[in-house]
Amino acid sequence: MRTALLALVLAAAGVVVAPPVQAAPSPVPVIYDSDLDVDDASTLAYLCVQHQENRIDLRAVTVTNNGFGTPGRARQHAISVLEQCGLPGIPVADGSDTGVHPAPASTVRDMEEVLTGALGDAGRTPPPSELTAAQLIAKTLASAKGKVSVLVTGPLSNLARAVPEGSPLAHKVSAAHVMGGAVHVPGNLFGEALPGFDNSQELNIWLDPPSARAAFGAVPVRLTPLDATNDVPITQAYVDRVGAEARTPSARIVHAIMTQPIMRDGIALGYFYWWDALAAVWGFGDGGVVTEARKTPIVVVQHGEQSGRTAPRAGGDRLLVALGADPVRFEQAFLDGLNGD
């Protein structure tokens, strides 16, 4: 009231009062955990620019060793992306328990070939990290003054070990933005992963169902399942556009990844989607890329032919689930994010 009266008095006296300066919003603290294959590496490149533009504060990068990345090499690829983006100081750790279901070995080899070719880091092996991935997640959460967002785009092994249900660290997680699951659509198992399963599962959750169940019960989760990512296929036309309009190292990294021979062939066959990038853009870029999201009780099936399924069932953990996406809006938002626009 006194401030308002003073402003009126000054105005009557002909004194111009400048409006108060609005403080810039603080960047969102983020931990990124993934198995660091091709779409994870592209997502990390996107996050680098968001950090450089002060939209997020990328505190740590952690890598699971039970997904589609090659143990040791996956951490090197994360380091390579950060170095090439100009962020060599961000801590990177790897390590995880063995998953329940192994990733198809042929695809693990393909992902290694693609990333080595795109990043030019053949023959490089980093020294062991001082902390395991789970330890780095826990340390980062414990040292944060406020809450931290965690983006998980691989098996949830590291998050489940770092923040078990009932841990005081759970209160430091504002949300876990998870790419995983297939709620109302079929799964995406293929090749060596299919025998013994009914393909109701999405790969990230299928790789380690107990960790998914544990993490969903421990922290708030925003789930980006195949229900939404099926709307954002990787197309050659868009890859060409990224190459033509790239203005940053991050955008050039994504283009280099997506133009490796294995990727070109897979894109032409319709195998690849912007799975992880959609989760990142929904969480930290343009929330409007997701066209529908609904609180849904989710149960992670543990055994049998549906092991790893994210089933919508009463009594499950209530997650915010993305159910659709706008491909045109996503493509623009992702490219803008890569270019710092």
Side-chain angles (χ1 to χ4, degrees), residues 8-324:
L8 288 172
V9 171
L10 292 173
V15 178
V16 177
V17 181
V21 177
Q22 297 293 324
S26 298
V28 177
V30 173
I31 297 168
Y32 182 36
D33 180 69
S34 78
D35 55 350
L36 224 290
D37 61 36
V38 293
D39 53 329
D40 308 89
S42 299
T43 299
L44 179 55
Y46 169 85
L47 294 175
C48 287
V49 181
Q50 303 314 293
H51 177 90
Q52 291 161 331
E53 294 293 321
N54 212 38
R55 296 165 186 157
I56 68 169
D57 177 6
L58 186 58
R59 302 269 178 98
V61 174
T62 54
V63 180
T64 63
N65 285 333
N66 57 4
F68 284 91
T70 299
R73 289 292 296 158
R75 178 166 170 259
Q76 177 58 60
H77 295 322
I79 292 169
S80 296
V81 171
L82 291 167
E83 288 177 347
Q84 292 177 28
C85 290
L87 297 175
I90 292 175
V92 182
D94 64 353
S96 59
D97 296 332
T98 302
V100 173
H101 305 125
S106 60
T107 305
V108 173
R109 291 192 296 269
D110 285 347
M111 297 300 95
E112 171 60 23
E113 180 179 335
V114 168
L115 288 178
T116 298
L119 298 172
D121 58 3
R124 294 183 62 188
T125 302
S129 52
E130 294 181 3
L131 301 174
T132 67
Q135 289 170 339
L136 180 56
I137 292 171
K139 179 183 177 181
T140 304
L141 291 172
S143 63
K145 293 182 179 179
K147 294 194 174 188
V148 178
S149 293
V150 184
L151 175 63
V152 185
T153 61
L156 285 102
S157 315
N158 289 332
L159 181 61
R161 176 167 282 274
V163 191
E165 191 168 5
S167 167
L169 291 179
H171 299 291
K172 302 295 288 289
V173 178
S174 59
H177 302 261
V178 176
M179 189 282 126
V183 180
H184 302 293
V185 298
N188 64 350
L189 301 189
F190 63 92
E192 302 154 62
L194 276 170
F197 301 98
D198 68 355
N199 199 30
S200 61
Q201 307 91 333
E202 180 276 331
L203 284 158
N204 283 345
I205 307 300
W206 173 82
L207 288 163
D208 191 354
S211 290
R213 179 177 62 183
F216 289 175
V219 298
V221 172
R222 289 165 55 107
L223 190 69
T224 306
L226 300 184
D227 305 58
T229 62
N230 285 347
D231 292 337
V232 287
I234 299 178
T235 66
Q236 191 59 53
Y238 182 62
V239 171
D240 293 343
R241 181 185 170 197
V242 171
E245 299 182 22
R247 301 197 308 273
T248 64
S250 288
R252 288 188 282 273
I253 286 170
V254 172
H255 185 255
I257 291 170
M258 296 302 163
T259 52
Q260 294 297 303
I262 289 172
M263 294 303 298
R264 279 192 177 275
D265 293 344
I267 289 168
L269 292 169
Y271 289 166
F272 293 104
Y273 294 78
W274 294 109
W275 296 291
D276 303 341
L278 180 63
V281 174
W282 184 36
F284 310 114
D286 178 1
V289 296
V290 164
T291 56
E292 181 184 0
R294 187 182 309 148
K295 281 279 190 180
T296 306
I298 296 294
V299 171
V300 181
V301 178
Q302 297 298 301
H303 305 290
E305 67 175 9
Q306 292 194 341
S307 175
R309 180 187 173 195
T310 46
R313 293 179 185 168
D317 296 300
R318 291 187 64 80
L319 316 182
L320 182 62
V321 177
L323 297 173

